[in-house]
Amino acid sequence: MAEQNRLQEDERDEKKWKQWGPYLSERQWATVREDYSPDGDCWNYFPHDMARSRAYRWGEDGLLGITDQQSRLCLGLALWNGKDPMLKERLFGLTNPEGNHGEDVKELYYYLDSTPTHSYMKALYKYPQSEFPYTQLVEENRKRTTTEPEFEIQDTGVFNDGKYWDVFAEYCKNAPDDVLCRYTLCNRSKETCSIIVLPTLWFYNTWVWGCSHESCTREGCSHEGCTTKPTLRLRSDCGVDCSHETLGPMTFLFDCLDDGTAPKLVFTENETNTMRLFELENSTPYVKDAFHDYIVDDDTSKVSPDSQGTKMAGVYRLVVPAGGSVQIRCRLLPTSSEQVKSPFGQEFNDIFTLRLQEADDFYDKVIGRKDAEHYRVSRQALAGLLWSKQFYQYIVKDWLDGDRSILQPPEERKTGRNCEFKHLFNRDVISMPDKWEYPWYASWDLAFHMITMARVDVHFAKEQLLLFLGERYMHPNGQIPAFEFSLSDVTPPVHAWSCLAVWRMSGPRGERDMHFLGLCFQKLVMNFTWWVNRKDPEGNNIFAGGFLGLDNIGVFDRGAPLPEGCVLEQADGTAWMAFFCVCMLEMAIELANYDSMYEDMATKFFEHFVTICEAINNMYGEGLWDEKDSFYYDRLIVDGNPELLRVRSLVGLVPLFATLVLEEDAISQLKGFSERLEWFLNNRKDLAQRHSYMQEGRKRRQLFNLPTESHMRKVLACLLSEDEFLSPFGIRSLSKYHKEHPFEIRTMEGGLSSVNYQPGESLVSGGNSNWRGPIWLCMNYLIIESLRRYDYFYGESFKVDFPTGSGNSLRLRDVAAELSKRLVGLFVPDSSGRRPCHGNDALYKDDPHFKDLVLFYEYFHADEGRGCGASHQTGWTALVVNCIDLLPQ
């Protein structure tokens, strides 16, 4: 298979098929990296209005664009409909303070296809033919409270009656460094319309900062005097030569339109317009926003007459009849290539046809035989996951110190945000949660990404997981960086679970990548030790950890420092560590089959698992288990007085994850571990029997699990109750019980804090995440996986009602399949033709150019299925692909 061959060639470093890809961010403005303000307010320091005029320090962004793995040379689209106040070069959205539910992109765009080597890629942007409603979107959302729905671009009516452009961007590769570009502009209206399209090429600005690191283009550079920069220079054949010291000579060519019209090529520099932004004289007369002035203001003096620079575009002025389309073709390739002489012949179209067929062949095998809708959802989800790769650069020491006199941060920065991560040197292509809303990695998100990524590119999945365990990422103390807003935040320790899952997908048993597993294990031991030393405040195996990725799930901010005399014992923090233990235990056992030294480590993690189980179930009599409610809760201790925080949420479901089934044949071969295990069974029968650390099941399997069978049945009765956690679309993050029975507690200041059921966006704060009710694919997937693991042990001997009280008795494997079906139902059309993820938006139901498009949101309204939060979180929402596989075919 052609795509599989390309993956292997790239893995063996024979051909760099992944050199070019969708690695261009969709939002570089208003990020922490670009923020040099004294108060750390990234949203207001570098807003959208500045982005067209100000050169970025730490990356680039663009519309439907691509770049190389170091983001040296970037390619994207710019559009103008003749009415907008600005040239459309990047996606627009609201900042966190502007949105009534936090930051939110206000554009319609879709990832339609991509192979893992990006040998073929396709995306779609919908561009209004009327003036883009920038002001209306800002002002209307500013008026709305958190209790009101967000005002979306569809609500403005700009897409009504088909009055929009469908802008398709397709890329394919003839060779690793020969990229063909095809842009198709479709007029969906009933009238002839005009549009100006600018395929734009530019170099990431590395020459003004005095960079002394890998992206610098001057040998021996040490900041001062670093002025060497690359060049784009006009050729005689409607193209440009691209000169960059580390990229090699490249040529970018523009094709004529079908009527023979050639584009006008314009040039400028990718440098800040300091006059517009700061009323300071520009260092060059030709600056970053020159094409805006050239197109929107018809000011020809703003583009360089020398036909060279570091940013250029081909200007196509199109007039397209109603329902018609026009295609623009470009090509980026080495200057030495023979194809430079004839880049746009029949071969151009033939290559696209071939690469698309190869993509179809690849996905027919990966996805398998599914019905049309399941296949469509899977392929678009995988496309979104692959398009969400991004070149990410963040060198904390340089960011703290600043650059010469250009970007000097305030003194407060040196002791402020991320100052404890001075070692961090990130300069890699990384899987992002969402390249607009979250154009920065979140390490626990990435662990989920790789579960689905490994289905199409297991080598990339392994590389990503190891990256975060390397010295340029992991803190010397063993902490894995969280995300750029606060690298030292604590998120759930799911990295070991992801490493183990990806290892299983690295080959059939007996042929799996043991070297990868060993590398992961060694570094994860450091991370485990960090958790034990830092997050077990009392040394009693009851763990804290803070917000642990579940932002607002608690009755108060679990990430904030507690008042003196207060201790928070977290059910999820403790259960996550038990989960971490069983993952490390399984790794150690697998490695011990190749090297007996790992048997001691297996024993160590088994013993730690036992002590955590004992603590969470028995400390203070019942531990963090409440027999009255049959649920696990956090406990707050104030001046020695303990109180359970009776919030029925995902916090109390995490203990279900801490389970491992082992074949007795596998562990009997490990003599040292088996002897220690036998000693435990003979000498600690109280623990073994009471907490089901190990039981013999069918075919002599043994079960290691945190909850007892009795506890598990009671938690599952709550989990599968439609009055509690079970919704038509999966498992809620907070029980529906709290809709009528909010949990309340008096604060230290005498006020009242409460938690109630909020199935959609948060009603409490302006944040864009909400864990007080909605459906989250990541946690649902862990629940499904855990149920399947329990079923592997218990089989037919363990059945529950689904839903609770229905009398429909199912084994746990079938419960997992039913939950998967509900999650998949978010994305496929119902009997009316409506996809629940799109809510009641008539466009997606009635417009033929919308109905097959799917958005993979961050989370989903628990009662309606409507998508909420980030709209392109494929990301962990790509886990729906794995859920589809669990459905009966």
Tab-separated table of all heavy atoms in Angstrom, residues 541-579:
chain	number	residue	atom	x	y	z
A	541	ASN	N	-0.721	8.094	51.360
A	541	ASN	CA	-1.204	7.503	50.109
A	541	ASN	C	-2.585	8.003	49.696
A	541	ASN	O	-3.271	7.359	48.894
A	541	ASN	CB	-1.200	5.969	50.188
A	541	ASN	CG	0.190	5.411	50.308
A	541	ASN	OD1	1.013	5.590	49.413
A	541	ASN	ND2	0.487	4.782	51.440
A	542	ILE	N	-2.984	9.135	50.234
A	542	ILE	CA	-4.162	9.854	49.762
A	542	ILE	C	-3.627	11.103	49.054
A	542	ILE	O	-2.963	11.933	49.676
A	542	ILE	CB	-5.103	10.257	50.911
A	542	ILE	CG1	-5.684	8.997	51.560
A	542	ILE	CG2	-6.209	11.154	50.398
A	542	ILE	CD1	-6.690	8.251	50.711
A	543	PHE	N	-3.928	11.229	47.770
A	543	PHE	CA	-3.265	12.227	46.948
A	543	PHE	C	-4.133	13.457	46.698
A	543	PHE	O	-5.366	13.373	46.660
A	543	PHE	CB	-2.835	11.619	45.615
A	543	PHE	CG	-1.691	10.662	45.748
A	543	PHE	CD1	-1.915	9.361	46.165
A	543	PHE	CD2	-0.394	11.070	45.490
A	543	PHE	CE1	-0.864	8.465	46.307
A	543	PHE	CE2	0.667	10.185	45.623
A	543	PHE	CZ	0.429	8.876	46.041
A	544	ALA	N	-3.444	14.569	46.533
A	544	ALA	CA	-4.080	15.805	46.079
A	544	ALA	C	-3.718	15.952	44.604
A	544	ALA	O	-3.624	14.986	43.882
A	544	ALA	CB	-3.607	16.990	46.912
A	545	GLY	N	-3.492	17.166	44.160
A	545	GLY	CA	-3.119	17.368	42.771
A	545	GLY	C	-3.711	18.620	42.178
A	545	GLY	O	-3.287	19.105	41.146
A	546	GLY	N	-4.752	19.172	42.844
A	546	GLY	CA	-5.326	20.407	42.324
A	546	GLY	C	-6.506	20.133	41.417
A	546	GLY	O	-7.285	19.210	41.628
A	547	PHE	N	-6.610	20.963	40.365
A	547	PHE	CA	-7.795	20.853	39.508
A	547	PHE	C	-7.778	19.602	38.635
A	547	PHE	O	-8.808	19.136	38.173
A	547	PHE	CB	-7.951	22.113	38.670
A	547	PHE	CG	-7.194	22.131	37.367
A	547	PHE	CD1	-7.875	22.097	36.161
A	547	PHE	CD2	-5.807	22.196	37.337
A	547	PHE	CE1	-7.191	22.135	34.959
A	547	PHE	CE2	-5.123	22.236	36.143
A	547	PHE	CZ	-5.814	22.202	34.943
A	548	LEU	N	-6.599	19.036	38.391
A	548	LEU	CA	-6.442	17.774	37.691
A	548	LEU	C	-7.221	17.726	36.383
A	548	LEU	O	-7.892	16.747	36.065
A	548	LEU	CB	-6.865	16.607	38.604
A	548	LEU	CG	-5.849	16.267	39.707
A	548	LEU	CD1	-6.404	15.202	40.628
A	548	LEU	CD2	-4.528	15.796	39.101
A	549	GLY	N	-7.155	18.823	35.628
A	549	GLY	CA	-7.748	18.853	34.304
A	549	GLY	C	-9.241	19.058	34.270
A	549	GLY	O	-9.815	19.295	33.206
A	550	LEU	N	-9.905	18.962	35.429
A	550	LEU	CA	-11.368	19.031	35.470
A	550	LEU	C	-11.820	20.403	35.939
A	550	LEU	O	-12.670	20.539	36.826
A	550	LEU	CB	-11.936	17.930	36.372
A	550	LEU	CG	-11.415	16.506	36.116
A	550	LEU	CD1	-12.109	15.507	37.031
A	550	LEU	CD2	-11.617	16.099	34.666
A	551	ASP	N	-11.289	21.421	35.330
A	551	ASP	CA	-11.438	22.838	35.644
A	551	ASP	C	-12.369	23.188	36.808
A	551	ASP	O	-11.939	23.457	37.905
A	551	ASP	CB	-11.884	23.589	34.375
A	551	ASP	CG	-10.886	23.406	33.241
A	551	ASP	OD1	-10.804	22.271	32.745
A	551	ASP	OD2	-10.203	24.352	32.858
A	552	ASN	N	-13.684	23.193	36.571
A	552	ASN	CA	-14.628	23.735	37.561
A	552	ASN	C	-15.473	22.661	38.227
A	552	ASN	O	-16.568	22.935	38.710
A	552	ASN	CB	-15.566	24.754	36.884
A	552	ASN	CG	-16.468	24.111	35.833
A	552	ASN	OD1	-16.171	23.025	35.346
A	552	ASN	ND2	-17.554	24.768	35.490
A	553	ILE	N	-14.980	21.431	38.272
A	553	ILE	CA	-15.813	20.337	38.756
A	553	ILE	C	-16.047	20.401	40.260
A	553	ILE	O	-17.034	19.864	40.766
A	553	ILE	CB	-15.196	18.978	38.352
A	553	ILE	CG1	-16.278	17.896	38.290
A	553	ILE	CG2	-14.052	18.584	39.276
A	553	ILE	CD1	-15.857	16.637	37.567
A	554	GLY	N	-15.158	21.051	40.981
A	554	GLY	CA	-15.276	21.099	42.433
A	554	GLY	C	-16.153	22.225	42.927
A	554	GLY	O	-16.510	23.145	42.185
A	555	VAL	N	-16.465	22.165	44.211
A	555	VAL	CA	-17.302	23.205	44.821
A	555	VAL	C	-16.505	24.495	45.010
A	555	VAL	O	-17.055	25.565	45.191
A	555	VAL	CB	-17.893	22.705	46.153
A	555	VAL	CG1	-16.800	22.553	47.210
A	555	VAL	CG2	-19.025	23.602	46.635
A	556	PHE	N	-15.183	24.364	44.963
A	556	PHE	CA	-14.295	25.531	44.932
A	556	PHE	C	-13.131	25.195	44.013
A	556	PHE	O	-13.010	24.065	43.550
A	556	PHE	CB	-13.807	25.921	46.338
A	556	PHE	CG	-13.215	24.780	47.127
A	556	PHE	CD1	-11.919	24.342	46.902
A	556	PHE	CD2	-13.962	24.138	48.096
A	556	PHE	CE1	-11.377	23.297	47.603
A	556	PHE	CE2	-13.428	23.075	48.812
A	556	PHE	CZ	-12.145	22.649	48.577
A	557	ASP	N	-12.303	26.165	43.731
A	557	ASP	CA	-11.180	25.977	42.815
A	557	ASP	C	-10.149	25.056	43.458
A	557	ASP	O	-9.409	25.452	44.357
A	557	ASP	CB	-10.556	27.335	42.482
A	557	ASP	CG	-9.404	27.216	41.481
A	557	ASP	OD1	-9.089	26.088	41.059
A	557	ASP	OD2	-8.830	28.260	41.130
A	558	ARG	N	-10.098	23.825	42.978
A	558	ARG	CA	-9.185	22.848	43.583
A	558	ARG	C	-7.727	23.143	43.245
A	558	ARG	O	-6.821	22.567	43.836
A	558	ARG	CB	-9.549	21.437	43.123
A	558	ARG	CG	-10.964	21.015	43.506
A	558	ARG	CD	-11.185	19.527	43.337
A	558	ARG	NE	-10.870	19.060	42.000
A	558	ARG	CZ	-10.751	17.771	41.670
A	558	ARG	NH1	-10.905	16.840	42.584
A	558	ARG	NH2	-10.474	17.422	40.421
A	559	GLY	N	-7.514	24.025	42.271
A	559	GLY	CA	-6.148	24.364	41.903
A	559	GLY	C	-5.575	25.509	42.717
A	559	GLY	O	-4.372	25.780	42.653
A	560	ALA	N	-6.420	26.204	43.477
A	560	ALA	CA	-5.966	27.349	44.265
A	560	ALA	C	-5.387	26.883	45.598
A	560	ALA	O	-5.801	25.849	46.135
A	560	ALA	CB	-7.129	28.303	44.516
A	561	PRO	N	-4.423	27.634	46.146
A	561	PRO	CA	-3.875	27.274	47.452
A	561	PRO	C	-4.973	27.280	48.519
A	561	PRO	O	-5.839	28.157	48.546
A	561	PRO	CB	-2.841	28.377	47.718
A	561	PRO	CG	-2.525	28.953	46.379
A	561	PRO	CD	-3.779	28.833	45.572
A	562	LEU	N	-4.932	26.283	49.395
A	562	LEU	CA	-5.925	26.190	50.458
A	562	LEU	C	-5.522	27.077	51.634
A	562	LEU	O	-4.333	27.297	51.884
A	562	LEU	CB	-6.055	24.746	50.928
A	562	LEU	CG	-6.695	23.774	49.939
A	562	LEU	CD1	-6.486	22.333	50.405
A	562	LEU	CD2	-8.174	24.080	49.782
A	563	PRO	N	-6.507	27.587	52.386
A	563	PRO	CA	-6.182	28.370	53.585
A	563	PRO	C	-5.412	27.518	54.589
A	563	PRO	O	-5.486	26.277	54.576
A	563	PRO	CB	-7.555	28.764	54.137
A	563	PRO	CG	-8.496	28.626	52.984
A	563	PRO	CD	-7.952	27.521	52.149
A	564	GLU	N	-4.697	28.157	55.461
A	564	GLU	CA	-3.935	27.456	56.486
A	564	GLU	C	-4.866	26.596	57.335
A	564	GLU	O	-5.963	27.003	57.696
A	564	GLU	CB	-3.210	28.467	57.383
A	564	GLU	CG	-2.246	27.824	58.369
A	564	GLU	CD	-1.447	28.856	59.148
A	564	GLU	OE1	-1.467	30.037	58.754
A	564	GLU	OE2	-0.819	28.462	60.134
A	565	GLY	N	-4.421	25.382	57.604
A	565	GLY	CA	-5.236	24.478	58.409
A	565	GLY	C	-6.154	23.598	57.592
A	565	GLY	O	-6.892	22.782	58.156
A	566	CYS	N	-6.137	23.764	56.263
A	566	CYS	CA	-7.026	22.988	55.396
A	566	CYS	C	-6.231	21.983	54.562
A	566	CYS	O	-5.146	22.302	54.068
A	566	CYS	CB	-7.815	23.904	54.467
A	566	CYS	SG	-8.953	25.014	55.321
A	567	VAL	N	-6.775	20.811	54.412
A	567	VAL	CA	-6.199	19.774	53.548
A	567	VAL	C	-7.328	19.201	52.696
A	567	VAL	O	-8.411	18.908	53.212
A	567	VAL	CB	-5.545	18.646	54.380
A	567	VAL	CG1	-5.059	17.523	53.458
A	567	VAL	CG2	-4.396	19.190	55.213
A	568	LEU	N	-7.073	19.063	51.386
A	568	LEU	CA	-8.047	18.450	50.492
A	568	LEU	C	-7.526	17.095	50.055
A	568	LEU	O	-6.471	16.993	49.433
A	568	LEU	CB	-8.301	19.335	49.268
A	568	LEU	CG	-9.319	18.782	48.255
A	568	LEU	CD1	-10.702	18.686	48.884
A	568	LEU	CD2	-9.353	19.642	46.996
A	569	GLU	N	-8.261	16.049	50.398
A	569	GLU	CA	-7.928	14.695	49.968
A	569	GLU	C	-8.819	14.363	48.773
A	569	GLU	O	-10.045	14.371	48.889
A	569	GLU	CB	-8.155	13.711	51.109
A	569	GLU	CG	-7.261	13.994	52.304
A	569	GLU	CD	-7.488	13.042	53.462
A	569	GLU	OE1	-8.597	12.474	53.561
A	569	GLU	OE2	-6.559	12.871	54.270
A	570	GLN	N	-8.194	14.089	47.646
A	570	GLN	CA	-8.935	13.987	46.398
A	570	GLN	C	-9.139	12.535	45.974
A	570	GLN	O	-8.177	11.782	45.811
A	570	GLN	CB	-8.208	14.760	45.297
A	570	GLN	CG	-8.166	16.258	45.548
A	570	GLN	CD	-7.527	17.039	44.425
A	570	GLN	OE1	-6.789	17.992	44.669
A	570	GLN	NE2	-7.808	16.669	43.182
A	571	ALA	N	-10.404	12.200	45.755
A	571	ALA	CA	-10.721	10.841	45.307
A	571	ALA	C	-10.143	10.579	43.929
A	571	ALA	O	-9.621	9.489	43.655
A	571	ALA	CB	-12.234	10.635	45.301
A	572	ASP	N	-10.223	11.594	43.046
A	572	ASP	CA	-9.680	11.378	41.705
A	572	ASP	C	-8.161	11.370	41.726
A	572	ASP	O	-7.522	10.546	41.070
A	572	ASP	CB	-10.226	12.391	40.700
A	572	ASP	CG	-10.017	13.842	41.088
A	572	ASP	OD1	-9.789	14.127	42.276
A	572	ASP	OD2	-10.101	14.714	40.199
A	573	GLY	N	-7.541	12.290	42.486
A	573	GLY	CA	-6.084	12.301	42.572
A	573	GLY	C	-5.556	10.972	43.068
A	573	GLY	O	-4.571	10.424	42.537
A	574	THR	N	-6.202	10.414	44.085
A	574	THR	CA	-5.775	9.137	44.639
A	574	THR	C	-6.010	8.000	43.649
A	574	THR	O	-5.148	7.137	43.435
A	574	THR	CB	-6.527	8.863	45.951
A	574	THR	OG1	-6.342	9.976	46.834
A	574	THR	CG2	-6.022	7.604	46.618
A	575	ALA	N	-7.188	8.011	43.009
A	575	ALA	CA	-7.494	6.952	42.042
A	575	ALA	C	-6.613	7.049	40.805
A	575	ALA	O	-6.230	6.020	40.221
A	575	ALA	CB	-8.968	7.020	41.657
A	576	TRP	N	-6.294	8.288	40.375
A	576	TRP	CA	-5.384	8.427	39.232
A	576	TRP	C	-4.032	7.783	39.553
A	576	TRP	O	-3.407	7.158	38.684
A	576	TRP	CB	-5.175	9.895	38.880
A	576	TRP	CG	-6.258	10.569	38.105
A	576	TRP	CD1	-6.936	11.698	38.457
A	576	TRP	CD2	-6.771	10.199	36.814
A	576	TRP	NE1	-7.844	12.047	37.483
A	576	TRP	CE2	-7.765	11.149	36.462
A	576	TRP	CE3	-6.500	9.163	35.931
A	576	TRP	CZ2	-8.478	11.088	35.263
A	576	TRP	CZ3	-7.208	9.093	34.734
A	576	TRP	CH2	-8.194	10.043	34.411
A	577	MET	N	-3.577	7.925	40.798
A	577	MET	CA	-2.295	7.323	41.157
A	577	MET	C	-2.381	5.807	41.201
A	577	MET	O	-1.414	5.102	40.864
A	577	MET	CB	-1.810	7.888	42.486
A	577	MET	CG	-1.200	9.273	42.363
A	577	MET	SD	0.185	9.314	41.189
A	577	MET	CE	1.439	8.436	42.114
A	578	ALA	N	-3.528	5.280	41.616
A	578	ALA	CA	-3.716	3.830	41.556
A	578	ALA	C	-3.711	3.366	40.100
A	578	ALA	O	-3.142	2.312	39.765
A	578	ALA	CB	-5.026	3.448	42.244
A	579	PHE	N	-4.342	4.143	39.242
A	579	PHE	CA	-4.348	3.864	37.800
A	579	PHE	C	-2.925	3.902	37.246
A	579	PHE	O	-2.511	3.034	36.468
A	579	PHE	CB	-5.235	4.903	37.123
A	579	PHE	CG	-5.390	4.755	35.627
A	579	PHE	CD1	-5.780	3.552	35.067
A	579	PHE	CD2	-5.174	5.842	34.786
A	579	PHE	CE1	-5.956	3.424	33.690
A	579	PHE	CE2	-5.347	5.726	33.414
A	579	PHE	CZ	-5.726	4.516	32.867
